[in-house]
Protein backbone atom coordinates (compact mmCIF):
# COMPACT_ATOMS: atom_id res chain seq x y z
CA UNK A 1 0.00 0.00 0.00
CA UNK A 2 1.36 3.42 -0.96
CA UNK A 3 1.61 6.00 1.83
CA UNK A 4 -0.96 8.81 1.55
CA UNK A 5 0.21 12.02 3.28
CA UNK A 6 -3.30 13.51 3.09
CA UNK A 7 -4.90 11.08 5.60
CA UNK A 8 -6.03 12.51 8.94
CA UNK A 9 -8.05 11.48 12.01
CA UNK A 10 -11.74 12.24 11.57
CA UNK A 11 -13.30 11.11 14.85
CA UNK A 12 -12.61 12.79 18.18
CA UNK A 13 -11.67 9.40 19.63
CA UNK A 14 -9.00 8.76 17.00
CA UNK A 15 -7.69 12.31 17.31
CA UNK A 16 -7.24 11.74 21.05
CA UNK A 17 -5.53 8.38 20.45
CA UNK A 18 -3.12 9.96 17.98
CA UNK A 19 -2.23 12.75 20.39
CA UNK A 20 -1.58 10.25 23.19
CA UNK A 21 0.59 8.18 20.85
CA UNK A 22 2.56 11.26 19.78
CA UNK A 23 3.13 12.23 23.44
CA UNK A 24 4.36 8.71 24.20
CA UNK A 25 6.78 8.84 21.27
CA UNK A 26 8.09 12.24 22.38
CA UNK A 27 8.54 10.96 25.92
CA UNK A 28 10.45 7.95 24.60
CA UNK A 29 12.61 10.26 22.53
CA UNK A 30 13.37 12.40 25.59
CA UNK A 31 14.16 9.33 27.73
CA UNK A 32 16.63 8.06 25.13
CA UNK A 33 18.38 11.40 25.07
CA UNK A 34 18.72 11.36 21.29
CA UNK A 35 17.71 15.04 21.07
CA UNK A 36 19.73 17.62 22.97
CA UNK A 37 16.99 20.24 22.86
CA UNK A 38 13.20 20.01 23.08
CA UNK A 39 11.29 20.57 19.87
CA UNK A 40 10.07 24.07 19.19
CA UNK A 41 6.31 24.52 19.07
CA UNK A 42 6.22 24.62 15.25
CA UNK A 43 8.38 21.50 15.02
CA UNK A 44 6.24 19.70 17.59
CA UNK A 45 3.14 20.52 15.52
CA UNK A 46 4.78 19.01 12.44
CA UNK A 47 5.70 15.93 14.47
CA UNK A 48 2.07 15.45 15.55
CA UNK A 49 0.92 15.73 11.93
CA UNK A 50 3.45 13.10 10.84
CA UNK A 51 2.26 10.76 13.62
CA UNK A 52 -1.34 11.35 12.59
CA UNK A 53 -0.71 10.61 8.91
CA UNK A 54 1.29 7.46 9.67
CA UNK A 55 -1.30 6.26 12.20
CA UNK A 56 -4.16 6.69 9.71
CA UNK A 57 -2.24 4.89 6.97
CA UNK A 58 -1.50 1.99 9.31
CA UNK A 59 -5.17 1.78 10.32
CA UNK A 60 -6.20 1.51 6.66
CA UNK A 61 -3.42 -1.00 6.01
CA UNK A 62 -4.71 -3.19 8.84
CA UNK A 63 -8.28 -2.82 7.56
CA UNK A 64 -7.37 -4.67 4.34
CA UNK A 65 -7.36 -7.88 6.38
CA UNK A 66 -4.42 -9.19 4.39
CA UNK A 67 -0.71 -8.86 5.00
CA UNK A 68 0.52 -6.00 2.82
CA UNK A 69 3.28 -3.60 3.78
CA UNK A 70 3.15 0.19 3.80
CA UNK A 71 5.48 1.82 1.27
CA UNK A 72 6.86 5.00 2.83
CA UNK A 73 9.10 7.63 1.19
CA UNK A 74 12.60 8.24 2.51
CA UNK A 75 14.32 9.92 -0.42
CA UNK A 76 15.50 13.52 -0.21
CA UNK A 77 13.42 14.33 -3.31
CA UNK A 78 10.22 13.56 -1.37
CA UNK A 79 11.07 14.19 2.29
CA UNK A 80 12.37 17.71 1.74
CA UNK A 81 10.25 18.81 -1.20
CA UNK A 82 8.01 21.89 -1.19
CA UNK A 83 7.43 23.98 1.92
CA UNK A 84 5.45 23.90 5.13
CA UNK A 85 2.35 25.24 3.40
CA UNK A 86 2.19 22.44 0.81
CA UNK A 87 3.97 19.72 2.79
CA UNK A 88 3.39 19.50 6.54
CA UNK A 89 3.95 15.73 6.82
CA UNK A 90 7.36 15.17 5.26
CA UNK A 91 10.67 16.27 6.72
CA UNK A 92 13.03 15.07 9.44
CA UNK A 93 10.06 14.80 11.83
CA UNK A 94 8.56 12.14 9.50
CA UNK A 95 11.75 10.06 9.58
CA UNK A 96 11.99 10.55 13.37
CA UNK A 97 8.42 9.26 13.79
CA UNK A 98 9.19 6.07 11.86
CA UNK A 99 12.40 5.52 13.83
CA UNK A 100 10.68 6.05 17.20
CA UNK A 101 7.73 3.78 16.36
CA UNK A 102 10.18 1.08 15.31
CA UNK A 103 12.28 1.54 18.47
CA UNK A 104 9.16 1.04 20.61
CA UNK A 105 8.17 -2.10 18.71
CA UNK A 106 5.01 -0.54 17.27
CA UNK A 107 6.10 -1.09 13.67
CA UNK A 108 8.72 -3.20 11.96
CA UNK A 109 10.94 -1.72 9.30
CA UNK A 110 11.28 -4.05 6.36
CA UNK A 111 13.10 -3.52 3.13
CA UNK A 112 14.92 -0.23 2.77
CA UNK A 113 14.39 1.53 -0.53
CA UNK A 114 16.95 1.03 -3.26
CA UNK A 115 17.56 2.48 -6.68
CA UNK A 116 16.76 0.53 -9.84
CA UNK A 117 17.93 3.16 -12.30
CA UNK A 118 18.81 6.84 -12.41
CA UNK A 119 15.11 7.78 -12.20
CA UNK A 120 13.42 4.78 -10.56
CA UNK A 121 13.68 3.13 -7.16
CA UNK A 122 11.91 0.65 -4.90
CA UNK A 123 10.24 2.20 -1.81
CA UNK A 124 10.99 1.46 1.83
CA UNK A 125 8.47 -0.77 3.63
CA UNK A 126 7.06 -0.84 7.18
CA UNK A 127 4.34 -2.95 8.82
CA UNK A 128 2.36 -2.68 12.09
CA UNK A 129 3.19 -4.88 15.07
CA UNK A 130 0.81 -6.26 17.69
CA UNK A 131 1.76 -3.59 20.25
CA UNK A 132 0.37 -0.86 17.97
CA UNK A 133 -3.16 -2.07 18.81
CA UNK A 134 -2.57 -0.81 22.37
CA UNK A 135 -2.54 2.73 20.98
CA UNK A 136 -4.73 2.72 17.85
CA UNK A 137 -8.14 1.15 16.96
CA UNK A 138 -6.87 -1.70 14.79
CA UNK A 139 -9.29 -4.42 15.95
CA UNK A 140 -11.92 -4.11 14.71
CA UNK A 141 -10.46 -1.84 12.04
CA UNK A 142 -11.61 1.75 12.61
CA UNK A 143 -11.16 2.94 9.05
CA UNK A 144 -14.28 5.13 9.14
CA UNK A 145 -12.55 7.23 11.79
CA UNK A 146 -10.09 8.34 9.08
CA UNK A 147 -10.59 11.02 6.43
CA UNK A 148 -8.59 12.44 3.53
CA UNK A 149 -7.75 16.09 3.07
CA UNK A 150 -8.05 17.58 -0.38
CA UNK A 151 -4.71 17.83 -2.14
CA UNK A 152 -3.27 21.33 -1.81
CA UNK A 153 -1.63 21.02 -5.22
CA UNK A 154 -4.31 19.99 -7.71
CA UNK A 155 -2.55 20.95 -10.95
CA UNK A 156 0.59 18.99 -11.82
CA UNK A 157 2.86 19.50 -14.82
CA UNK A 158 5.13 16.55 -15.63
CA UNK A 159 8.11 15.94 -17.85
CA UNK A 160 8.04 13.33 -20.59
CA UNK A 161 8.50 9.73 -19.45
CA UNK A 162 12.00 8.35 -19.11
CA UNK A 163 13.19 4.89 -20.16
CA UNK A 164 11.57 3.39 -17.05
CA UNK A 165 8.21 4.95 -17.78
CA UNK A 166 8.48 7.53 -14.99
CA UNK A 167 7.80 11.24 -15.34
CA UNK A 168 9.02 13.80 -12.80
CA UNK A 169 6.92 16.78 -11.77
CA UNK A 170 8.02 20.23 -12.90
CA UNK A 171 7.88 23.43 -10.85
CA UNK A 172 5.90 26.02 -12.77
CA UNK A 173 5.04 29.68 -12.34
CA UNK A 174 1.42 30.39 -11.45
CA UNK A 175 -0.50 32.08 -14.25
CA UNK A 176 -4.10 32.99 -14.93
CA UNK A 177 -4.39 29.73 -16.86
CA UNK A 178 -3.00 27.48 -14.13
CA UNK A 179 -5.20 29.22 -11.54
CA UNK A 180 -8.23 28.65 -13.76
CA UNK A 181 -7.39 24.94 -14.02
CA UNK A 182 -6.94 24.73 -10.23
CA UNK A 183 -10.22 26.50 -9.46
CA UNK A 184 -12.10 24.13 -11.77
CA UNK A 185 -10.69 21.07 -10.01
CA UNK A 186 -11.26 22.53 -6.54
CA UNK A 187 -14.92 23.19 -7.35
CA UNK A 188 -15.32 19.60 -8.50
CA UNK A 189 -13.56 18.35 -5.37
CA UNK A 190 -15.80 20.48 -3.14
CA UNK A 191 -18.89 18.94 -4.74
CA UNK A 192 -17.55 15.39 -4.47
CA UNK A 193 -16.50 15.91 -0.85
CA UNK A 194 -20.13 16.13 0.30
CA UNK A 195 -21.56 13.57 -2.13
CA UNK A 196 -23.18 10.30 -0.99
CA UNK A 197 -20.64 7.74 -2.25
CA UNK A 198 -20.06 4.31 -0.74
CA UNK A 199 -18.56 0.94 -1.68
CA UNK A 200 -20.80 -2.02 -0.87
CA UNK A 201 -19.44 -4.76 1.39
CA UNK A 202 -16.57 -2.84 2.98
CA UNK A 203 -18.00 -2.99 6.50
CA UNK A 204 -18.28 -6.78 6.20
CA UNK A 205 -15.18 -7.77 4.23
CA UNK A 206 -12.88 -4.83 4.91
CA UNK A 207 -10.91 -2.70 2.49
CA UNK A 208 -8.95 -3.79 -0.55
CA UNK A 209 -6.03 -2.47 -2.55
CA UNK A 210 -6.49 -1.30 -6.11
CA UNK A 211 -3.96 -0.93 -8.89
CA UNK A 212 -0.61 0.64 -7.98
CA UNK A 213 -1.18 -0.02 -4.27
CA UNK A 214 -3.92 2.59 -3.81
CA UNK A 215 -6.46 1.88 -1.06
CA UNK A 216 -10.08 1.60 -2.17
CA UNK A 217 -11.98 3.63 0.39
CA UNK A 218 -14.95 5.91 -0.35
CA UNK A 219 -13.53 9.14 1.08
CA UNK A 220 -10.49 9.02 -1.23
CA UNK A 221 -12.07 11.31 -3.79
CA UNK A 222 -9.75 14.33 -4.01
CA UNK A 223 -8.82 14.82 -7.68
CA UNK A 224 -5.72 16.25 -9.34
CA UNK A 225 -5.23 17.22 -12.98
CA UNK A 226 -1.98 16.09 -14.60
CA UNK A 227 -0.47 17.64 -17.71
CA UNK A 228 2.28 15.89 -19.65
CA UNK A 229 5.53 16.43 -21.55
CA UNK A 230 6.24 19.78 -19.93
CA UNK A 231 3.41 21.60 -21.71
CA UNK A 232 -0.14 22.65 -20.84
CA UNK A 233 -1.20 21.49 -24.31
CA UNK A 234 -0.71 17.79 -23.53
CA UNK A 235 -2.75 15.53 -21.28
CA UNK A 236 -4.68 17.13 -18.44
CA UNK A 237 -6.41 13.97 -17.27
CA UNK A 238 -7.81 13.72 -13.76
CA UNK A 239 -6.32 11.34 -11.19
CA UNK A 240 -6.62 10.46 -7.51
CA UNK A 241 -10.13 9.05 -7.01
CA UNK A 242 -10.50 5.62 -5.39
CA UNK A 243 -12.69 4.37 -8.27
CA UNK A 244 -9.85 4.94 -10.73
CA UNK A 245 -7.75 2.20 -9.15
CA UNK A 246 -10.61 -0.32 -9.04
CA UNK A 247 -10.85 -3.13 -11.57
CA UNK A 248 -13.71 -2.61 -14.01
CA UNK A 249 -15.54 -5.64 -12.58
CA UNK A 250 -15.27 -4.20 -9.06
CA UNK A 251 -16.95 -0.89 -9.90
CA UNK A 252 -20.37 -2.50 -9.61
CA UNK A 253 -19.83 -2.29 -5.84
CA UNK A 254 -19.93 1.53 -5.93
CA UNK A 255 -23.11 3.18 -4.70
CA UNK A 256 -23.99 6.81 -5.47
CA UNK A 257 -27.00 8.22 -3.60
CA UNK A 258 -27.64 4.65 -2.47
CA UNK A 259 -27.99 3.42 -6.07
CA UNK A 260 -25.95 1.16 -8.30
CA UNK A 261 -23.94 3.01 -10.91
CA UNK A 262 -24.08 3.39 -14.66
CA UNK A 263 -20.98 4.03 -16.78
CA UNK A 264 -21.62 6.66 -19.44
CA UNK A 265 -18.76 6.98 -21.91
CA UNK A 266 -17.71 8.48 -25.19
CA UNK A 267 -17.26 5.84 -27.89
CA UNK A 268 -14.24 5.95 -30.22
CA UNK A 269 -13.37 9.39 -28.89
CA UNK A 270 -9.75 9.73 -30.02
CA UNK A 271 -10.32 8.87 -33.70
CA UNK A 272 -13.42 11.08 -33.76
CA UNK A 273 -11.41 13.97 -32.31
CA UNK A 274 -8.81 13.27 -35.00
CA UNK A 275 -11.54 13.68 -37.64
CA UNK A 276 -12.41 17.01 -36.03
CA UNK A 277 -8.72 18.04 -36.14
CA UNK A 278 -8.58 17.08 -39.84
CA UNK A 279 -11.75 19.07 -40.58
CA UNK A 280 -13.34 15.94 -42.04
CA UNK A 281 -16.95 14.73 -41.59
CA UNK A 282 -17.53 12.11 -38.94
CA UNK A 283 -18.06 8.65 -40.52
CA UNK A 284 -20.98 6.47 -39.53
CA UNK A 285 -20.60 3.19 -37.68
CA UNK A 286 -17.86 1.75 -35.49
CA UNK A 287 -14.53 3.33 -36.38
CA UNK A 288 -12.60 0.38 -34.96
CA UNK A 289 -14.46 -2.25 -37.01
CA UNK A 290 -12.01 -2.37 -39.91
CA UNK A 291 -13.06 -5.84 -41.12
CA UNK A 292 -16.78 -4.99 -41.05
CA UNK A 293 -17.82 -7.91 -38.87
CA UNK A 294 -16.32 -7.07 -35.48
CA UNK A 295 -13.28 -9.29 -36.04
CA UNK A 296 -10.13 -7.87 -34.49
CA UNK A 297 -11.91 -4.79 -33.16
CA UNK A 298 -9.89 -4.64 -29.93
CA UNK A 299 -6.66 -4.94 -31.89
CA UNK A 300 -7.69 -2.21 -34.31
CA UNK A 301 -8.55 0.06 -31.39
CA UNK A 302 -5.14 -0.42 -29.76
CA UNK A 303 -3.31 -0.03 -33.05
CA UNK A 304 -5.16 3.15 -34.03
CA UNK A 305 -4.52 4.79 -30.69
CA UNK A 306 -0.85 3.78 -30.92
CA UNK A 307 -0.65 5.38 -34.37
CA UNK A 308 -2.14 8.61 -33.03
CA UNK A 309 0.36 8.71 -30.15
CA UNK A 310 3.48 7.58 -32.01
CA UNK A 311 6.06 10.10 -33.13
CA UNK A 312 7.12 8.71 -36.47
CA UNK A 313 6.39 5.35 -38.15
CA UNK A 314 5.30 2.50 -35.88
CA UNK A 315 8.02 -0.16 -35.99
CA UNK A 316 6.55 -2.83 -33.72
CA UNK A 317 3.13 -4.11 -32.71
CA UNK A 318 1.77 -2.34 -29.61
CA UNK A 319 1.80 -4.68 -26.62
CA UNK A 320 -0.90 -7.39 -26.70
CA UNK A 321 -2.22 -6.23 -30.09
CA UNK A 322 -1.15 -8.70 -32.80
CA UNK A 323 -3.05 -11.59 -31.16
CA UNK A 324 -6.28 -9.88 -32.22
CA UNK A 325 -5.33 -10.15 -35.90
CA UNK A 326 -5.15 -13.24 -38.13
CA UNK A 327 -1.64 -14.69 -38.47
CA UNK A 328 -1.68 -13.77 -42.17
CA UNK A 329 -1.78 -10.03 -41.34
CA UNK A 330 1.50 -8.38 -40.38
CA UNK A 331 1.91 -4.93 -38.83
CA UNK A 332 2.45 -3.16 -42.15
CA UNK A 333 -0.70 -4.67 -43.65
CA UNK A 334 -2.76 -3.83 -40.56
CA UNK A 335 -1.61 -0.19 -40.71
CA UNK A 336 -2.42 0.00 -44.42
CA UNK A 337 -5.94 -1.32 -43.71
CA UNK A 338 -6.51 1.31 -41.02
CA UNK A 339 -5.13 4.05 -43.28
CA UNK A 340 -7.43 2.94 -46.11
CA UNK A 341 -10.53 2.89 -43.89
CA UNK A 342 -9.66 6.25 -42.35
CA UNK A 343 -8.05 8.06 -45.27
CA UNK A 344 -9.19 11.53 -44.05
CA UNK A 345 -7.04 11.20 -40.91
CA UNK A 346 -4.30 8.85 -42.13
CA UNK A 347 -1.93 11.81 -42.53
CA UNK A 348 -2.18 12.34 -38.74
CA UNK A 349 -0.79 8.88 -37.93
CA UNK A 350 2.73 9.05 -36.50
CA UNK A 351 2.49 12.78 -35.76
CA UNK A 352 2.40 12.44 -31.96
CA UNK A 353 -1.12 13.86 -31.82
CA UNK A 354 -2.34 11.64 -28.96
CA UNK A 355 -1.46 13.90 -26.03
CA UNK A 356 -3.12 16.86 -27.75
CA UNK A 357 -6.28 14.80 -28.21
CA UNK A 358 -6.01 13.78 -24.56
CA UNK A 359 -6.01 17.47 -23.63
CA UNK A 360 -9.23 18.00 -25.62
CA UNK A 361 -10.73 14.91 -23.98
CA UNK A 362 -9.82 16.18 -20.50
CA UNK A 363 -11.26 19.65 -21.20
CA UNK A 364 -14.51 18.01 -22.30
CA UNK A 365 -14.64 15.91 -19.14
CA UNK A 366 -14.03 18.96 -16.92
CA UNK A 367 -16.96 20.66 -18.65
CA UNK A 368 -19.14 17.55 -18.22
CA UNK A 369 -18.36 17.35 -14.50
CA UNK A 370 -19.01 21.06 -14.06
CA UNK A 371 -22.38 20.86 -15.85
CA UNK A 372 -23.47 17.77 -13.93
CA UNK A 373 -22.48 19.18 -10.54
CA UNK A 374 -24.44 22.35 -11.36
CA UNK A 375 -27.45 20.09 -11.94
CA UNK A 376 -26.84 18.31 -8.61
CA UNK A 377 -25.64 15.09 -10.26
CA UNK A 378 -22.68 13.29 -8.70
CA UNK A 379 -20.31 12.02 -11.40
CA UNK A 380 -17.02 10.16 -10.94
CA UNK A 381 -14.63 10.74 -13.88
CA UNK A 382 -12.87 7.95 -15.80
CA UNK A 383 -10.86 9.68 -18.57
CA UNK A 384 -13.51 9.53 -21.33
CA UNK A 385 -16.40 8.37 -19.12
CA UNK A 386 -18.28 9.09 -15.90
CA UNK A 387 -19.92 6.91 -13.28
CA UNK A 388 -23.31 8.19 -12.11
CA UNK A 389 -26.28 6.81 -10.20
CA UNK A 390 -28.45 4.69 -12.51
CA UNK A 391 -31.31 7.19 -12.29
CA UNK A 392 -29.03 9.92 -13.69
CA UNK A 393 -27.66 7.97 -16.66
CA UNK A 394 -29.96 9.76 -19.11
CA UNK A 395 -28.99 13.21 -17.87
CA UNK A 396 -25.30 12.35 -18.05
CA UNK A 397 -25.69 11.10 -21.60
CA UNK A 398 -27.44 14.29 -22.70
CA UNK A 399 -24.78 16.48 -21.11
CA UNK A 400 -21.93 14.49 -22.67
CA UNK A 401 -23.53 14.68 -26.11
CA UNK A 402 -24.04 18.43 -25.76
CA UNK A 403 -20.45 19.00 -24.60
CA UNK A 404 -19.06 17.01 -27.56
CA UNK A 405 -21.21 18.94 -30.03
CA UNK A 406 -20.32 22.29 -28.46
CA UNK A 407 -16.61 21.57 -28.33
CA UNK A 408 -16.22 20.01 -31.77
CA UNK A 409 -19.04 21.62 -33.77
CA UNK A 410 -19.85 18.06 -34.83
CA UNK A 411 -23.30 16.48 -34.36
CA UNK A 412 -21.90 12.93 -34.23
CA UNK A 413 -21.39 12.14 -30.55
CA UNK A 414 -21.25 8.42 -29.71
CA UNK A 415 -22.21 8.13 -26.04
CA UNK A 416 -23.09 4.76 -24.57
CA UNK A 417 -24.53 3.71 -21.22
CA UNK A 418 -23.35 0.55 -19.50
CA UNK A 419 -24.40 -0.98 -16.21
CA UNK A 420 -21.44 -2.76 -14.51
CA UNK A 421 -22.28 -6.32 -13.57
Amino acid sequence: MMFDPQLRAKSAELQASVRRLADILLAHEAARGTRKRARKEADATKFYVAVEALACNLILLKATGSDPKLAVPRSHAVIWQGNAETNSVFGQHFLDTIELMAAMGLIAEGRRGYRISARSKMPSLIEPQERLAEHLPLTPPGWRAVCQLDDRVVIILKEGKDEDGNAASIDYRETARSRKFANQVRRINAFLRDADIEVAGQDDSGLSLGRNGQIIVPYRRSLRRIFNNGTWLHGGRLAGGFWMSMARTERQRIRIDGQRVAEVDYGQLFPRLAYVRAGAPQPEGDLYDVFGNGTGRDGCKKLMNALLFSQGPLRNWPEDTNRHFPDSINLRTAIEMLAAKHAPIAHLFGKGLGFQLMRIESDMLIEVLTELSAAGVTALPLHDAVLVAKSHAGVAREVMEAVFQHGTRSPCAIVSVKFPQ
Side-chain angles (χ1 to χ4, degrees), residues 92 117 200 360 374:
Q92 185 59 48
S117 69
I360 298 171

Side-chain angles (χ1 to χ4, degrees), residues 5 51 161-162 172 191 208 243 304 309 331 355 365 402 405:
V51 174
K161 290 184 178 180
D162 61 16
Y172 59 87
F191 183 82
S208 58
W243 59 93
M304 179 176 283
F309 272 91
L331 176 59
F355 280 104
L365 199 64
Q405 292 166 9

Side-chain angles (χ1 to χ4, degrees), residues 313-348:
L314 203 61
R315 304 296 184 185
N316 300 295
W317 285 104
E319 185 178 357
D320 196 35
T321 300
N322 61 325
R323 69 181 182 87
H324 296 285
F325 290 88
D327 293 338
S328 59
I329 296 180
N330 59 25
L331 176 59
R332 179 178 177 179
T333 302
I335 293 174
E336 288 174 349
M337 293 175 65
L338 274 171
K341 181 175 176 64
H342 297 294
I345 62 170
H347 66 287
L348 297 176

Side-chain angles (χ1 to χ4, degrees), residues 67-376:
D67 190 32
K69 308 295 190 295
L70 181 64
V72 293
R74 284 181 175 274
S75 69
H76 281 65
V78 175
I79 295 299
W80 282 279
Q81 67 177 343
N83 52 51
E85 182 179 351
T86 59
N87 170 26
S88 58
V89 172
F90 297 135
Q92 185 59 48
H93 51 283
F94 180 77
L95 299 178
D96 290 345
T97 301
I98 292 176
E99 196 275 330
L100 287 168
M101 292 180 76
M104 291 187 63
L106 305 181
I107 62 172
E109 294 191 82
R111 180 194 70 202
R112 280 295 184 108
Y114 60 92
R115 188 164 296 284
I116 300 173
S117 69
R119 301 287 293 275
S120 182
K121 65 173 295 186
M122 296 295 288
S124 298
L125 302 177
I126 63 173
E127 60 182 317
Q129 299 297 287
E130 289 185 6
R131 288 191 60 191
L132 188 61
E134 299 172 9
H135 304 278
L136 298 175
L138 302 181
T139 308
W143 64 267
R144 287 192 179 275
V146 176
C147 66
Q148 184 195 44
L149 301 180
D150 284 347
D151 288 303
R152 290 180 180 270
V153 179
V154 295
I155 300 300
I156 299 172
L157 181 63
K158 288 195 171 185
E159 297 176 346
K161 290 184 178 180
D162 61 16
E163 65 274 9
D164 297 308
N166 300 314
S169 297
I170 301 172
D171 288 333
Y172 59 87
R173 183 175 59 86
E174 287 284 354
T175 64
R177 177 168 55 180
S178 66
R179 285 191 290 270
K180 175 185 175 182
F181 292 155
N183 288 335
Q184 288 173 330
V185 176
R186 289 193 179 105
R187 283 193 292 268
I188 293 169
N189 282 342
F191 183 82
L192 290 179
R193 189 187 308 122
D194 298 326
D196 181 1
I197 306 170
E198 287 291 338
V199 178
Q202 287 191 320
D203 287 326
D204 299 323
S205 58
L207 305 181
S208 58
L209 291 178
R211 296 189 294 269
N212 301 323
Q214 300 297 328
I215 196 79
I216 297 173
V217 65
Y219 47 71
R220 235 195 74 228
R221 53 183 83 168
S222 178
L223 299 172
R224 307 180 302 278
R225 196 174 181 193
I226 302 174
F227 294 83
N228 307 101
N229 303 323
T231 172
W232 300 113
L233 302 179
H234 287 186
R237 280 181 167 176
L238 292 166
F242 74 88
W243 59 93
M244 295 176 174
S245 62
M246 296 178 79
R248 181 180 293 271
T249 55
E250 282 290 292
R251 290 177 190 147
Q252 54 85 24
R253 297 171 54 206
I254 299 174
R255 301 289 183 269
I256 298 177
D257 298 332
Q259 303 177 40
R260 290 181 176 271
V261 296
E263 182 176 333
V264 189
D265 74 289
Y266 286 115
Q268 310 137 50
L269 184 58
F270 272 24
R272 293 195 177 279
L273 291 177
Y275 270 89
V276 173
R277 173 63 64 90
Q282 295 282 340
E284 298 292 333
D286 188 341
L287 304 193
Y288 299 130
D289 187 10
V290 173
F291 294 94
N293 59 4
T295 302
R297 183 189 185 279
D298 289 344
C300 290
K301 177 180 179 179
K302 290 182 178 181
L303 181 56
M304 179 176 283
N305 284 316
L307 288 168
L308 289 171
F309 272 91
S310 68
Q311 192 70 255
L314 203 61
R315 304 296 184 185
N316 300 295
W317 285 104
E319 185 178 357
D320 196 35
T321 300
N322 61 325
R323 69 181 182 87
H324 296 285
F325 290 88
D327 293 338
S328 59
I329 296 180
N330 59 25
L331 176 59
R332 179 178 177 179
T333 302
I335 293 174
E336 288 174 349
M337 293 175 65
L338 274 171
K341 181 175 176 64
H342 297 294
I345 62 170
H347 66 287
L348 297 176
F349 294 166
K351 302 299 184 183
L353 186 64
F355 280 104
Q356 296 177 46
L357 301 181
M358 190 186 290
R359 167 62 198 276
I360 298 171
E361 170 207 74
S362 67
D363 285 346
M364 289 170 55
L365 199 64
I366 290 289
E367 186 174 351
V368 167
L369 295 172
T370 301
E371 292 289 331
L372 288 174
S373 62

